[in-house]
Amino acid sequence: MHNLDRILNQIRDRIHEEADWGLPAQYIPELANVAPEQFAISVVTSNGQCCSAGQADRPFSIQSISKVFSLVATLGRIGEALWTRVGREPTRAAFDSIMLLETDNGRPPNPFVNAGAIVTTDALLAGREPRQALAEILGLIRTMAGRDDIYINKRVAQSEKRTAERNKALAHYLASHGNLLNDPDLTLGTYFHQCAIEMTTVQLAMSGRVLAGLDCAPPTISRTHARRTNALMMTCGHYDASGEFAFKVGLPGKSGVGGGILLIAPRRASIAIWSPGLNGYGNSQAGTRAATMLAELTGWSVF
Ligand code: GLU
């Protein structure tokens, strides 16, 4: 058996032994029902090999990992203009915090906290119908993954929409500062649908190849945008636990409340991990542990 297969099987076995699963996202009813005792990991390496362990063919809700793709799409569309509306600084506040919007006149600190992602999606939506913006994000993901069978789970989008008081508050607060170009409900509807995209760890790992520099990028993704997206994943990808994640794992990563993590080892590998139970920061509990083990066992690090 290949060395990488051995490492991934070892991680999967350890995760099941430890059985420290956390709790699935409770505020989105469709996600609250997912059984927490599940785990998958997939790694695509520079020679094109894809190794997996666990439930690597089970689609899960990518949630905030979609913010990576909407950022790449928006940078491709409007370039540097995005930064007048969103900052690039990590925060010590929760992913759905409204506090930081007050201190900077409605300019979110970075594109990965919810407020920043809502502004990014709003920029992508400007002048178009939600279905066009969603087709662009989904099309980009399919191109990056090299797979066509990636879809939006409308039930999850509807479920989030029904219980979205916090995100509605953020969107309306942004609008009050003139930092939304579209009707807040239209932008939010687009955002909920982008978060409800489902992927397997195999598909997600495949989609990260461009960011890891393992695959030729589609013409809309420049090397500069890929590098900058990695920088933001490193500094802001795990919300107020980003420092701890960088300390323990040492690789750019983006988490989602569906329990997924996209991890980039530049020029070496693209990695996807899934386990639906979360820690107190809204990041996958077992997934974070698995990322730590992978970094230790492979020695992969950007430092
Ligand atoms: N759709 C989720 C929300 O807006 C995404 C959060 C996350 O995955 O961290 O609350």
Side-chain angles (χ1 to χ4, degrees):
M1 191 190 288
H2 188 272
N3 195 25
L4 188 55
D5 278 315
R6 237 194 332 265
I7 288 176
L8 299 189
N9 288 342
Q10 189 183 338
I11 292 172
R12 177 203 56 206
D13 293 347
R14 187 97 65 85
I15 289 294
H16 281 277
E17 271 161 36
E18 290 177 1
D20 183 11
W21 300 107
L23 209 61
Q26 297 297 295
Y27 71 97
I28 303 176
E30 247 344 274
L31 299 184
N33 294 330
V34 178
E37 309 84 2
Q38 304 191 73
F39 177 77
I41 183 165
S42 297
V43 178
V44 179
T45 54
S46 52
N47 61 11
Q49 181 194 16
C50 179
C51 298
S52 296
Q55 296 150 281
D57 293 321
R58 165 114 163 55
F60 62 90
S61 196
I62 68 167
Q63 291 296 320
S64 280
I65 302 172
S66 69
K67 296 171 183 174
V68 171
F69 304 109
S70 61
L71 175 64
V72 168
T74 307
L75 287 175
R77 183 163 275 269
I78 65 165
E80 306 301 301
L82 178 66
W83 306 122
T84 59
R85 299 177 59 193
V86 187
R88 305 187 291 256
E89 294 298 337
T91 78
R92 292 210 61 200
F95 70 97
D96 54 358
S97 168
I98 202 163
M99 191 175 70
L100 295 147
L101 293 182
E102 281 210 68
T103 52
D104 203 9
N105 299 317
R107 183 174 181 257
N110 67 65
F112 291 154
V113 291
N114 281 9
I118 291 168
V119 168
T120 305
T121 299
D122 181 73
L124 193 66
L125 178 60
R128 299 192 293 171
E129 296 291 317
R131 61 181 165 76
Q132 293 172 301
L134 287 168
E136 182 167 339
I137 298 174
L138 204 53
L140 180 73
I141 293 176
R142 287 174 176 169
T143 305
M144 288 171 76
R147 307 281 167 111
D148 280 337
D149 54 341
I150 298 168
Y151 303 100
I152 294 171
N153 183 330
K154 298 212 173 89
R155 275 209 326 275
V156 173
Q158 290 305 331
S159 173
E160 177 164 16
K161 193 173 170 188
R162 277 195 293 277
T163 56
E165 302 311 331
R166 185 72 66 97
N167 281 327
K168 283 184 196 159
L170 290 172
H172 285 273
Y173 194 81
L174 290 165
S176 79
H177 277 282
N179 202 3
L180 281 195
L181 304 175
N182 307 282
D183 178 88
D185 289 333
L186 212 60
T187 297
L188 280 177
T190 312
Y191 169 77
F192 297 144
H193 281 80
Q194 110 188 18
C195 287
I197 292 170
E198 292 190 338
M199 295 172 82
T200 66
T201 54
V202 172
Q203 292 168 336
L204 188 58
M206 292 291 284
S207 75
R209 290 170 306 169
V210 167
L211 295 174
L214 307 181
D215 194 42
C216 306
T220 50
I221 308 179
S222 69
R223 258 328 278 157
T224 303
H225 289 165
R227 259 201 312 272
R228 289 176 170 177
T229 301
N230 284 339
L232 290 164
M233 287 169 75
M234 178 61 108
T235 52
C236 316
H238 280 70
Y239 306 121
D240 41 340
S242 298
E244 183 70 7
F245 192 85
F247 182 82
K248 284 194 176 147
V249 180
L251 296 170
K254 181 73 204 87
S255 67
V257 293
I261 298 175
L262 173 63
L263 203 57
I264 302 298
R267 288 169 299 284
R268 289 182 182 278
S270 167
I271 302 129
I273 304 174
W274 172 65
S275 183
L278 307 179
N279 61 24
Y281 298 98
N283 302 318
S284 174
Q285 171 93 354
T288 304
R289 175 84 181 104
T292 308
M293 281 192 253
L294 183 75
E296 279 167 8
L297 292 168
T298 58
W300 292 340
S301 169
V302 297
F303 299 110

